[in-house]
Amino acid sequence: MYRSSSGGYGRDVEGGSGRYNDTNANILEQQNNERIYELSEQVSRLKGLTIDIGNEVREQNSLLDQMGDGFQSTRDMLQGSLARIGVMLDTSSGKHMCYMVLFVVFVVVFLYWMMTFKGQSGA
């Protein structure tokens, strides 16, 4: 057996096997540190992605709430219009009904003309 410089028996620290084990341990430690760093980068990217997804979900929910409010107000407006039309039909003569039918026909023809004109202009 060899006697080490520290006075104990065992492996030869001065010889080379001790340095070889220390070098291996240092290399393994460095590789572990590199992998830990890579994992922490991946976790950071995933955290950023989940934060972005959460923000997008909140924005989409807000947009859906606004759309629901818009649909509700449109529904209320249409119900009010239909109620007024019903009252008008109950209380007035056929003359008002003719005016209303002519107006609706005019609007439909105008919208048709606008769609065909817009389609031909290429805009």
Side-chain angles (χ1 to χ4, degrees):
M1 284 198 198
Y2 299 104
R3 188 168 176 99
S4 68
S5 60
S6 64
Y9 292 99
R11 55 180 194 183
D12 185 12
V13 176
E14 299 293 327
S17 63
R19 275 185 274 158
Y20 177 74
N21 287 337
D22 289 342
T23 303
N24 278 344
N26 287 338
I27 290 172
L28 290 175
E29 185 71 26
Q30 182 180 4
Q31 289 175 347
N32 283 340
N33 289 338
E34 289 172 1
R35 289 195 173 97
I36 288 171
Y37 178 74
E38 290 171 2
L39 283 174
S40 67
E41 284 182 342
Q42 290 177 354
V43 167
S44 296
R45 278 184 276 174
L46 287 174
K47 180 181 177 183
L49 184 63
T50 56
I51 288 171
D52 291 342
I53 289 172
N55 291 338
E56 184 68 25
V57 166
R58 277 190 286 284
E59 289 175 14
Q60 294 294 327
N61 282 338
S62 173
L63 179 63
L64 288 173
D65 289 341
Q66 291 173 357
M67 285 177 58
D69 293 342
F71 284 131
Q72 182 66 33
S73 66
T74 303
R75 183 177 147 247
D76 293 342
M77 187 173 59
L78 285 174
Q79 281 180 341
S81 297
L82 289 175
R84 286 190 295 271
I85 289 172
V87 168
M88 184 185 75
L89 290 176
D90 289 341
T91 60
S92 65
S93 65
K95 182 180 174 184
H96 288 98
M97 184 65 172
C98 288
Y99 287 143
M100 189 173 66
V101 169
L102 287 174
F103 177 74
V104 170
V105 169
F106 172 75
V107 168
V108 169
V109 169
F110 178 74
L111 289 175
Y112 175 77
W113 177 75
M114 285 297 290
M115 288 179 10
T116 57
F117 177 71
K118 182 103 171 153
Q120 291 175 356
S121 68

